[in-house]
Amino acid sequence: RLAKCIRPQTEQLSEAREAERLRRASPGLMADEHAVFPLAAFLCVGAPGAPPPQQPYEITVFEYLDGCHSVGDLVRMFERTHPTGCLQSTSSCTSHRNSGTCE
């Protein structure tokens, strides 16, 4: 399993809450072989009597798929091979280096 722990900036950016909303709205999504959907989602709250944090931490649990990358990882890989501005001439992608675009 793969667990992801984050502290969202606002309640509207909560992956755990959005996963639960989608789980209720589209129960078949969990069984879709083309979608990576959390197996579980948790909100972490403080101990009784402790002041509550502005926004609680949340944990989402996914099936671990060997060789998969997050969208963030893919964007960073693309940005490393497709620099812009004065670094465009150093791109490892010939099309991007020559014209600024590629397919």
Side-chain angles (χ1 to χ4, degrees), residues 9-94:
Q9 297 296 319
T10 67
E11 188 173 313
Q12 289 77 22
L13 298 175
S14 169
E15 288 184 33
R17 287 185 171 101
E18 183 63 11
E20 288 306 310
R21 185 190 72 74
L22 287 170
R23 188 183 314 274
R24 286 190 302 275
S26 303
L29 187 59
M30 292 173 41
D32 187 335
E33 64 186 46
H34 302 291
V36 177
F37 197 78
L39 301 172
F42 305 94
L43 293 177
C44 301
V45 295
Q54 287 182 329
Q55 189 66 23
Y57 286 92
E58 62 184 40
I59 298 172
T60 46
V61 180
F62 296 89
E63 189 68 41
Y64 178 78
L65 302 170
D66 192 35
C68 285
H69 297 281
S70 70
V71 172
D73 288 343
L74 294 174
V75 168
R76 284 185 287 281
M77 284 186 263
F78 181 81
E79 288 174 341
R80 277 194 301 272
T81 59
H82 294 76
T84 58
C86 63
L87 295 177
Q88 181 175 329
S89 63
T90 66
S91 176
S92 59
C93 173
T94 307

